[in-house]
Amino acid sequence: MQATPVMEKAFASERVDESVVGDWEDVQIELGLKTRREHPPKPNELTRLGDQFRAALGLRLAEDGQLVPLAPERETTSERPESKAPRNAPCPCGSGKKFKKCCGR
């Protein structure tokens, strides 16, 4: 194809909006010059927005293109004691406040 050197130069000089047409490798695949990607696509504004959207939904994009749930975050240990104290008892954390006003919220 005669236009490929010009197109490649346009991509190299960053004069192509890759959010619309993809990167140079995507164009080569579309034109039949390549059969598959050799390198992962570089992130752009749309891929970053997509990552944020998927994260908000609790999902991530796997290498095979499938959406999978994010690994659950490990629970952090709270500083509040787990033992239950009577309602008007002093708080076992040592604050001097009543349990119901401190860790018993």
Side-chain angles (χ1 to χ4, degrees):
M1 177 163 238
Q2 294 176 358
T4 54
V6 175
M7 294 166 63
E8 185 174 13
K9 189 175 180 181
F11 276 92
S13 63
E14 298 181 359
R15 297 190 182 270
V16 178
D17 185 355
E18 292 182 0
S19 66
V20 176
V21 297
D23 62 8
W24 174 235
E25 204 165 18
D26 289 330
V27 173
Q28 288 176 310
I29 293 168
E30 187 68 27
L31 294 173
L33 302 173
K34 283 187 174 184
T35 58
R36 62 182 179 85
R37 290 194 73 84
E38 295 173 6
H39 309 286
K42 61 184 178 187
N44 61 32
E45 187 61 30
L46 287 178
T47 57
R48 282 187 284 276
L49 285 172
D51 291 341
Q52 290 173 357
F53 182 70
R54 284 186 289 277
L57 294 175
L59 301 170
R60 69 176 176 82
L61 195 59
E63 288 183 23
D64 62 358
Q66 299 293 319
L67 289 175
V68 295
L70 287 172
E73 294 182 16
R74 294 186 179 186
E75 293 183 21
T76 58
T77 58
S78 70
E79 295 178 16
R80 294 182 178 171
E82 290 185 20
S83 63
K84 296 288 180 182
R87 205 175 132 190
N88 290 318
C91 189
C93 77
S95 68
K97 296 180 182 181
K98 289 184 179 182
F99 177 73
K100 68 179 184 181
K101 296 283 186 178
C102 186
C103 293
R105 296 183 221 170

